[in-house]
């Protein structure tokens, strides 16, 4: 996702977690988050597409997160197990306070 890359280039931070999870498990988790963000009106970027890609991906997924240094966005990265290829990415506008 361009917005996550732009956040990194603007001085954001990236965290990659150890271990992997089945893509199908993450698809279920993020599908619930999609329903919740819609219900409460929280702005997201690419969340529906990320859920679709996770459903289609048949392997394990490594998680990462990009926090923008400027602006209210945080991005979740869904990577191949080695952390080299992005399978999906979603952003969520962080609420203040």
């Amino acid at each position: 996702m361009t917005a996550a890359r732009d956040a990194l280039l603007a001085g954001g931070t990236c965290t990659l977690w150890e271990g992997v999870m089945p893509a199908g498990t993450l698809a279920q988790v993020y599908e619930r988050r999609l329903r919740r963000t819609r219900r409460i009106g929280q702005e997201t970027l690419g969340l529906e597409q990320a859920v679709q890609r996770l459903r289609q991906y048949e392997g394990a997924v490594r998680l990462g997160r990009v926090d923008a240094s400027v602006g209210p966005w945080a991005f979740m990265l869904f990577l191949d197990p080695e952390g080299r290829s992005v399978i999906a990415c979603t952003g969520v506008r962080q609420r203040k306070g």
Side-chain angles (χ1 to χ4, degrees):
M1 174 179 277
T2 303
R5 184 189 73 220
D6 291 347
L8 277 174
L9 293 174
T13 59
C14 183
T15 303
L16 294 180
W17 286 285
E18 294 296 324
V20 296
M21 294 184 70
T25 300
L26 288 169
Q28 291 174 351
V29 169
Y30 280 85
E31 189 167 20
R32 285 191 299 271
R33 288 186 184 182
L34 176 61
R35 287 192 302 267
R36 182 174 190 278
T37 58
R38 285 179 174 165
R39 187 176 66 247
I40 67 173
Q42 189 171 16
E43 190 176 357
T44 64
L45 296 173
L47 183 51
E48 186 172 349
Q49 295 85 354
V51 169
Q52 290 171 356
R53 288 183 179 165
L54 289 168
R55 277 191 205 130
Q56 294 169 351
Y57 190 75
E58 296 185 10
V61 176
R62 185 173 179 187
L63 290 173
R65 179 178 167 122
V66 173
D67 289 294
S69 62
V70 177
W73 291 95
F75 302 92
M76 288 302 297
L77 305 174
F78 305 94
L79 307 155
D80 69 354
E82 293 78 30
R84 294 185 183 140
S85 298
V86 177
I87 296 160
C89 178
T90 185
V92 64
R93 181 182 291 271
Q94 302 295 289
R95 293 181 178 249
K96 295 181 182 180

Short mmCIF file of all heavy atoms in Angstrom, two decimals, residues 38-87:
data_model
loop_
_atom_site.label_atom_id
_atom_site.label_comp_id
_atom_site.label_asym_id
_atom_site.label_seq_id
_atom_site.Cartn_x
_atom_site.Cartn_y
_atom_site.Cartn_z
N ARG A 38 -16.78 -0.41 10.56
CA ARG A 38 -17.95 0.13 9.84
C ARG A 38 -19.04 0.56 10.82
O ARG A 38 -19.66 1.60 10.64
CB ARG A 38 -18.49 -0.91 8.87
CG ARG A 38 -17.64 -1.08 7.65
CD ARG A 38 -18.20 -2.13 6.74
NE ARG A 38 -17.45 -2.19 5.48
CZ ARG A 38 -17.52 -3.19 4.64
NH1 ARG A 38 -18.32 -4.23 4.87
NH2 ARG A 38 -16.80 -3.18 3.54
N ARG A 39 -19.27 -0.26 11.83
CA ARG A 39 -20.33 0.02 12.80
C ARG A 39 -20.05 1.31 13.57
O ARG A 39 -20.95 2.11 13.81
CB ARG A 39 -20.48 -1.15 13.75
CG ARG A 39 -21.66 -1.04 14.69
CD ARG A 39 -21.87 -2.27 15.57
NE ARG A 39 -20.77 -2.45 16.50
CZ ARG A 39 -19.88 -3.46 16.47
NH1 ARG A 39 -19.96 -4.41 15.57
NH2 ARG A 39 -18.91 -3.54 17.36
N ILE A 40 -18.79 1.53 13.95
CA ILE A 40 -18.47 2.72 14.76
C ILE A 40 -18.01 3.91 13.91
O ILE A 40 -17.78 4.98 14.45
CB ILE A 40 -17.41 2.39 15.84
CG1 ILE A 40 -16.06 2.05 15.22
CG2 ILE A 40 -17.92 1.30 16.77
CD1 ILE A 40 -14.93 1.87 16.23
N GLY A 41 -17.88 3.70 12.61
CA GLY A 41 -17.50 4.80 11.73
C GLY A 41 -16.03 5.15 11.73
O GLY A 41 -15.66 6.26 11.37
N GLN A 42 -15.18 4.21 12.11
CA GLN A 42 -13.74 4.46 12.11
C GLN A 42 -13.20 4.31 10.69
O GLN A 42 -13.48 3.33 10.01
CB GLN A 42 -13.03 3.49 13.06
CG GLN A 42 -11.57 3.84 13.26
CD GLN A 42 -10.95 3.00 14.38
OE1 GLN A 42 -11.51 1.99 14.79
NE2 GLN A 42 -9.81 3.44 14.87
N GLU A 43 -12.43 5.28 10.26
CA GLU A 43 -11.90 5.29 8.89
C GLU A 43 -10.76 4.28 8.72
O GLU A 43 -9.87 4.18 9.57
CB GLU A 43 -11.39 6.69 8.55
CG GLU A 43 -11.04 6.88 7.11
CD GLU A 43 -10.62 8.29 6.79
OE1 GLU A 43 -10.66 9.17 7.68
OE2 GLU A 43 -10.25 8.53 5.63
N THR A 44 -10.82 3.53 7.63
CA THR A 44 -9.78 2.56 7.30
C THR A 44 -9.36 2.74 5.85
O THR A 44 -10.06 3.35 5.05
CB THR A 44 -10.26 1.11 7.50
OG1 THR A 44 -11.32 0.85 6.59
CG2 THR A 44 -10.71 0.85 8.92
N LEU A 45 -8.21 2.17 5.53
CA LEU A 45 -7.71 2.12 4.15
C LEU A 45 -7.44 0.66 3.80
O LEU A 45 -6.66 0.00 4.47
CB LEU A 45 -6.41 2.91 4.00
CG LEU A 45 -6.46 4.40 4.23
CD1 LEU A 45 -5.05 4.99 4.22
CD2 LEU A 45 -7.30 5.06 3.14
N GLY A 46 -8.09 0.16 2.77
CA GLY A 46 -7.78 -1.16 2.25
C GLY A 46 -8.14 -2.34 3.13
O GLY A 46 -7.67 -3.45 2.87
N LEU A 47 -8.97 -2.16 4.13
CA LEU A 47 -9.28 -3.26 5.05
C LEU A 47 -10.08 -4.35 4.35
O LEU A 47 -9.79 -5.54 4.50
CB LEU A 47 -10.01 -2.74 6.29
CG LEU A 47 -10.34 -3.77 7.37
CD1 LEU A 47 -9.13 -4.58 7.78
CD2 LEU A 47 -10.96 -3.07 8.57
N GLU A 48 -11.06 -3.98 3.57
CA GLU A 48 -11.85 -5.00 2.86
C GLU A 48 -10.98 -5.80 1.89
O GLU A 48 -11.07 -7.02 1.81
CB GLU A 48 -13.01 -4.34 2.11
CG GLU A 48 -13.95 -5.34 1.48
CD GLU A 48 -15.20 -4.70 0.91
OE1 GLU A 48 -15.46 -3.50 1.16
OE2 GLU A 48 -15.93 -5.40 0.20
N GLN A 49 -10.10 -5.11 1.17
CA GLN A 49 -9.20 -5.79 0.24
C GLN A 49 -8.22 -6.71 0.98
O GLN A 49 -7.89 -7.80 0.50
CB GLN A 49 -8.42 -4.78 -0.61
CG GLN A 49 -9.28 -3.96 -1.53
CD GLN A 49 -9.89 -2.73 -0.86
OE1 GLN A 49 -9.77 -2.50 0.34
NE2 GLN A 49 -10.58 -1.92 -1.65
N ALA A 50 -7.75 -6.27 2.14
CA ALA A 50 -6.84 -7.09 2.93
C ALA A 50 -7.51 -8.39 3.36
O ALA A 50 -6.92 -9.47 3.28
CB ALA A 50 -6.33 -6.31 4.15
N VAL A 51 -8.77 -8.29 3.80
CA VAL A 51 -9.50 -9.49 4.20
C VAL A 51 -9.64 -10.44 3.01
O VAL A 51 -9.42 -11.65 3.14
CB VAL A 51 -10.89 -9.12 4.78
CG1 VAL A 51 -11.77 -10.36 4.95
CG2 VAL A 51 -10.73 -8.39 6.11
N GLN A 52 -9.97 -9.91 1.85
CA GLN A 52 -10.11 -10.74 0.65
C GLN A 52 -8.79 -11.43 0.30
O GLN A 52 -8.77 -12.63 -0.01
CB GLN A 52 -10.59 -9.90 -0.53
CG GLN A 52 -12.01 -9.44 -0.40
CD GLN A 52 -12.40 -8.43 -1.48
OE1 GLN A 52 -11.58 -8.01 -2.30
NE2 GLN A 52 -13.65 -8.03 -1.47
N ARG A 53 -7.70 -10.70 0.35
CA ARG A 53 -6.39 -11.29 0.02
C ARG A 53 -5.98 -12.36 1.02
O ARG A 53 -5.41 -13.38 0.66
CB ARG A 53 -5.33 -10.21 -0.08
CG ARG A 53 -5.48 -9.36 -1.31
CD ARG A 53 -4.40 -8.36 -1.43
NE ARG A 53 -4.58 -7.58 -2.66
CZ ARG A 53 -3.96 -6.47 -2.91
NH1 ARG A 53 -3.09 -6.00 -2.04
NH2 ARG A 53 -4.18 -5.82 -4.03
N LEU A 54 -6.27 -12.12 2.30
CA LEU A 54 -5.95 -13.11 3.31
C LEU A 54 -6.78 -14.38 3.12
O LEU A 54 -6.29 -15.49 3.31
CB LEU A 54 -6.17 -12.55 4.72
CG LEU A 54 -5.15 -11.50 5.15
CD1 LEU A 54 -5.62 -10.80 6.43
CD2 LEU A 54 -3.78 -12.13 5.35
N ARG A 55 -8.03 -14.23 2.73
CA ARG A 55 -8.87 -15.41 2.44
C ARG A 55 -8.30 -16.23 1.29
O ARG A 55 -8.39 -17.45 1.29
CB ARG A 55 -10.28 -14.97 2.05
CG ARG A 55 -11.18 -14.67 3.20
CD ARG A 55 -12.60 -14.52 2.70
NE ARG A 55 -13.37 -13.69 3.59
CZ ARG A 55 -14.11 -12.67 3.23
NH1 ARG A 55 -14.22 -12.32 1.97
NH2 ARG A 55 -14.79 -11.99 4.12
N GLN A 56 -7.74 -15.56 0.30
CA GLN A 56 -7.24 -16.23 -0.90
C GLN A 56 -5.85 -16.84 -0.69
O GLN A 56 -5.49 -17.80 -1.36
CB GLN A 56 -7.18 -15.25 -2.07
CG GLN A 56 -8.54 -14.78 -2.51
CD GLN A 56 -8.46 -13.62 -3.49
OE1 GLN A 56 -7.40 -13.06 -3.73
NE2 GLN A 56 -9.60 -13.25 -4.05
N TYR A 57 -5.09 -16.30 0.23
CA TYR A 57 -3.72 -16.75 0.47
C TYR A 57 -3.76 -18.05 1.26
O TYR A 57 -4.44 -18.14 2.28
CB TYR A 57 -2.93 -15.67 1.21
CG TYR A 57 -1.46 -15.93 1.31
CD1 TYR A 57 -0.64 -15.74 0.21
CD2 TYR A 57 -0.88 -16.34 2.49
CE1 TYR A 57 0.73 -15.96 0.30
CE2 TYR A 57 0.49 -16.56 2.60
CZ TYR A 57 1.29 -16.36 1.49
OH TYR A 57 2.63 -16.58 1.58
N GLU A 58 -3.01 -19.04 0.85
CA GLU A 58 -3.09 -20.35 1.49
C GLU A 58 -1.94 -20.66 2.43
O GLU A 58 -1.85 -21.76 2.97
CB GLU A 58 -3.21 -21.44 0.42
CG GLU A 58 -4.48 -21.32 -0.37
CD GLU A 58 -4.67 -22.44 -1.36
OE1 GLU A 58 -3.91 -23.42 -1.31
OE2 GLU A 58 -5.58 -22.33 -2.18
N GLY A 59 -1.07 -19.72 2.65
CA GLY A 59 0.09 -19.98 3.49
C GLY A 59 0.02 -19.30 4.83
O GLY A 59 -1.00 -18.77 5.25
N ALA A 60 1.15 -19.33 5.50
CA ALA A 60 1.31 -18.65 6.77
C ALA A 60 1.68 -17.19 6.52
O ALA A 60 2.25 -16.85 5.48
CB ALA A 60 2.40 -19.33 7.60
N VAL A 61 1.36 -16.36 7.47
CA VAL A 61 1.55 -14.91 7.34
C VAL A 61 2.30 -14.38 8.55
O VAL A 61 2.03 -14.77 9.69
CB VAL A 61 0.18 -14.20 7.22
CG1 VAL A 61 0.34 -12.70 7.19
CG2 VAL A 61 -0.57 -14.69 5.98
N ARG A 62 3.24 -13.51 8.29
CA ARG A 62 3.97 -12.79 9.34
C ARG A 62 3.38 -11.39 9.42
O ARG A 62 3.09 -10.77 8.40
CB ARG A 62 5.44 -12.73 9.00
CG ARG A 62 6.29 -12.12 10.07
CD ARG A 62 7.76 -12.24 9.73
NE ARG A 62 8.56 -11.65 10.77
CZ ARG A 62 9.85 -11.48 10.68
NH1 ARG A 62 10.50 -11.87 9.59
NH2 ARG A 62 10.53 -10.93 11.66
N LEU A 63 3.23 -10.88 10.63
CA LEU A 63 2.63 -9.55 10.83
C LEU A 63 3.69 -8.48 11.04
O LEU A 63 4.73 -8.72 11.65
CB LEU A 63 1.71 -9.56 12.04
CG LEU A 63 0.42 -10.34 11.90
CD1 LEU A 63 -0.30 -10.40 13.24
CD2 LEU A 63 -0.46 -9.73 10.85
N GLY A 64 3.37 -7.29 10.55
CA GLY A 64 4.18 -6.11 10.77
C GLY A 64 3.27 -4.91 10.98
O GLY A 64 2.07 -4.97 10.69
N ARG A 65 3.83 -3.85 11.47
CA ARG A 65 3.05 -2.63 11.70
C ARG A 65 3.92 -1.43 11.36
O ARG A 65 5.11 -1.39 11.72
CB ARG A 65 2.62 -2.56 13.17
CG ARG A 65 1.83 -1.30 13.49
CD ARG A 65 1.39 -1.30 14.93
NE ARG A 65 0.90 0.01 15.31
CZ ARG A 65 -0.32 0.26 15.78
NH1 ARG A 65 -1.16 -0.73 15.94
NH2 ARG A 65 -0.68 1.48 16.10
N VAL A 66 3.31 -0.47 10.69
CA VAL A 66 3.95 0.81 10.39
C VAL A 66 3.16 1.90 11.10
O VAL A 66 1.94 2.00 10.93
CB VAL A 66 3.98 1.09 8.87
CG1 VAL A 66 4.50 2.50 8.59
CG2 VAL A 66 4.81 0.06 8.14
N ASP A 67 3.86 2.68 11.91
CA ASP A 67 3.24 3.83 12.58
C ASP A 67 3.79 5.09 11.95
O ASP A 67 5.02 5.29 11.90
CB ASP A 67 3.56 3.82 14.08
CG ASP A 67 2.83 2.71 14.80
OD1 ASP A 67 1.59 2.76 14.85
OD2 ASP A 67 3.50 1.78 15.30
N ALA A 68 2.90 5.92 11.45
CA ALA A 68 3.30 7.18 10.82
C ALA A 68 3.86 8.12 11.89
O ALA A 68 3.34 8.19 13.00
CB ALA A 68 2.10 7.82 10.13
N SER A 69 4.92 8.84 11.53
CA SER A 69 5.49 9.81 12.47
C SER A 69 4.66 11.10 12.46
O SER A 69 4.65 11.82 13.45
CB SER A 69 6.94 10.12 12.12
OG SER A 69 7.01 10.70 10.83
N VAL A 70 3.99 11.35 11.35
CA VAL A 70 3.13 12.52 11.22
C VAL A 70 1.77 12.02 10.75
O VAL A 70 1.68 11.22 9.82
CB VAL A 70 3.70 13.51 10.18
CG1 VAL A 70 2.77 14.68 9.99
CG2 VAL A 70 5.09 13.97 10.60
N GLY A 71 0.73 12.45 11.40
CA GLY A 71 -0.60 12.03 11.00
C GLY A 71 -1.13 10.91 11.87
O GLY A 71 -0.41 10.30 12.65
N PRO A 72 -2.40 10.62 11.69
CA PRO A 72 -3.08 9.70 12.61
C PRO A 72 -3.12 8.24 12.17
O PRO A 72 -3.84 7.45 12.75
CB PRO A 72 -4.50 10.27 12.62
CG PRO A 72 -4.68 10.77 11.21
CD PRO A 72 -3.32 11.33 10.83
N TRP A 73 -2.36 7.85 11.16
CA TRP A 73 -2.52 6.51 10.59
C TRP A 73 -1.53 5.49 11.15
O TRP A 73 -0.38 5.79 11.40
CB TRP A 73 -2.37 6.56 9.07
CG TRP A 73 -3.51 7.26 8.44
CD1 TRP A 73 -3.57 8.57 8.09
CD2 TRP A 73 -4.78 6.70 8.08
NE1 TRP A 73 -4.81 8.86 7.56
CE2 TRP A 73 -5.56 7.72 7.54
CE3 TRP A 73 -5.32 5.42 8.18
CZ2 TRP A 73 -6.86 7.52 7.09
CZ3 TRP A 73 -6.61 5.22 7.74
CH2 TRP A 73 -7.37 6.26 7.20
N ALA A 74 -2.03 4.27 11.29
CA ALA A 74 -1.21 3.10 11.59
C ALA A 74 -1.59 2.04 10.56
O ALA A 74 -2.76 1.94 10.16
CB ALA A 74 -1.46 2.59 13.00
N PHE A 75 -0.61 1.26 10.13
CA PHE A 75 -0.83 0.28 9.07
C PHE A 75 -0.39 -1.10 9.55
O PHE A 75 0.66 -1.25 10.16
CB PHE A 75 -0.01 0.66 7.83
CG PHE A 75 -0.35 2.01 7.30
CD1 PHE A 75 0.35 3.13 7.72
CD2 PHE A 75 -1.39 2.17 6.41
CE1 PHE A 75 0.03 4.39 7.25
CE2 PHE A 75 -1.73 3.43 5.93
CZ PHE A 75 -1.02 4.54 6.35
N MET A 76 -1.21 -2.10 9.25
CA MET A 76 -0.86 -3.49 9.50
C MET A 76 -0.38 -4.09 8.18
O MET A 76 -1.04 -3.92 7.15
CB MET A 76 -2.05 -4.28 10.02
CG MET A 76 -2.43 -3.94 11.45
SD MET A 76 -1.10 -4.17 12.67
CE MET A 76 -0.82 -5.93 12.55
N LEU A 77 0.75 -4.77 8.25
CA LEU A 77 1.32 -5.45 7.09
C LEU A 77 1.14 -6.95 7.28
O LEU A 77 1.40 -7.47 8.37
CB LEU A 77 2.80 -5.13 6.96
CG LEU A 77 3.20 -3.66 6.90
CD1 LEU A 77 4.72 -3.53 6.91
CD2 LEU A 77 2.61 -3.01 5.67
N PHE A 78 0.73 -7.61 6.24
CA PHE A 78 0.61 -9.06 6.22
C PHE A 78 1.63 -9.55 5.20
O PHE A 78 1.50 -9.29 4.01
CB PHE A 78 -0.81 -9.47 5.84
CG PHE A 78 -1.85 -8.85 6.73
CD1 PHE A 78 -2.46 -7.66 6.37
CD2 PHE A 78 -2.19 -9.44 7.93
CE1 PHE A 78 -3.41 -7.07 7.18
CE2 PHE A 78 -3.14 -8.86 8.76
CZ PHE A 78 -3.76 -7.67 8.39
N LEU A 79 2.67 -10.21 5.70
CA LEU A 79 3.83 -10.54 4.89
C LEU A 79 3.98 -12.05 4.74
O LEU A 79 3.44 -12.83 5.54
CB LEU A 79 5.09 -9.99 5.56
CG LEU A 79 5.04 -8.49 5.89
CD1 LEU A 79 5.98 -8.18 7.02
CD2 LEU A 79 5.37 -7.68 4.67
N ASP A 80 4.79 -12.45 3.75
CA ASP A 80 5.14 -13.86 3.65
C ASP A 80 5.97 -14.23 4.88
O ASP A 80 6.41 -13.33 5.63
CB ASP A 80 5.88 -14.15 2.33
CG ASP A 80 7.27 -13.56 2.26
OD1 ASP A 80 7.68 -12.81 3.17
OD2 ASP A 80 7.97 -13.84 1.29
N PRO A 81 6.16 -15.51 5.17
CA PRO A 81 6.84 -15.91 6.41
C PRO A 81 8.24 -15.31 6.60
O PRO A 81 8.67 -15.09 7.73
CB PRO A 81 6.90 -17.44 6.31
CG PRO A 81 5.71 -17.79 5.48
CD PRO A 81 5.61 -16.68 4.46
N GLU A 82 8.94 -15.04 5.51
CA GLU A 82 10.28 -14.45 5.62
C GLU A 82 10.24 -12.94 5.77
O GLU A 82 11.27 -12.31 6.00
CB GLU A 82 11.11 -14.81 4.37
CG GLU A 82 11.44 -16.28 4.27
CD GLU A 82 10.26 -17.10 3.75
OE1 GLU A 82 9.45 -16.57 2.96
OE2 GLU A 82 10.14 -18.28 4.13
N GLY A 83 9.08 -12.34 5.60
CA GLY A 83 8.95 -10.88 5.73
C GLY A 83 9.46 -10.13 4.53
O GLY A 83 9.78 -8.95 4.61
N ARG A 84 9.50 -10.76 3.36
CA ARG A 84 10.04 -10.13 2.16
C ARG A 84 8.98 -9.60 1.21
O ARG A 84 9.24 -8.68 0.45
CB ARG A 84 10.93 -11.12 1.41
CG ARG A 84 12.16 -11.48 2.21
CD ARG A 84 13.09 -12.36 1.42
NE ARG A 84 14.21 -12.73 2.25
CZ ARG A 84 14.75 -13.92 2.27
NH1 ARG A 84 14.30 -14.86 1.47
NH2 ARG A 84 15.76 -14.19 3.06
N SER A 85 7.80 -10.22 1.21
CA SER A 85 6.74 -9.82 0.27
C SER A 85 5.47 -9.46 1.03
O SER A 85 5.08 -10.17 1.97
CB SER A 85 6.39 -10.98 -0.68
OG SER A 85 7.50 -11.32 -1.46
N VAL A 86 4.84 -8.38 0.62
CA VAL A 86 3.58 -7.95 1.23
C VAL A 86 2.43 -8.69 0.56
O VAL A 86 2.26 -8.63 -0.65
CB VAL A 86 3.39 -6.43 1.10
CG1 VAL A 86 2.05 -6.01 1.69
CG2 VAL A 86 4.53 -5.68 1.77
N ILE A 87 1.65 -9.39 1.36
CA ILE A 87 0.47 -10.08 0.87
C ILE A 87 -0.72 -9.12 0.88
O ILE A 87 -1.52 -9.08 -0.05
CB ILE A 87 0.17 -11.31 1.76
CG1 ILE A 87 1.32 -12.30 1.64
CG2 ILE A 87 -1.17 -11.95 1.40
CD1 ILE A 87 1.40 -13.28 2.76
#
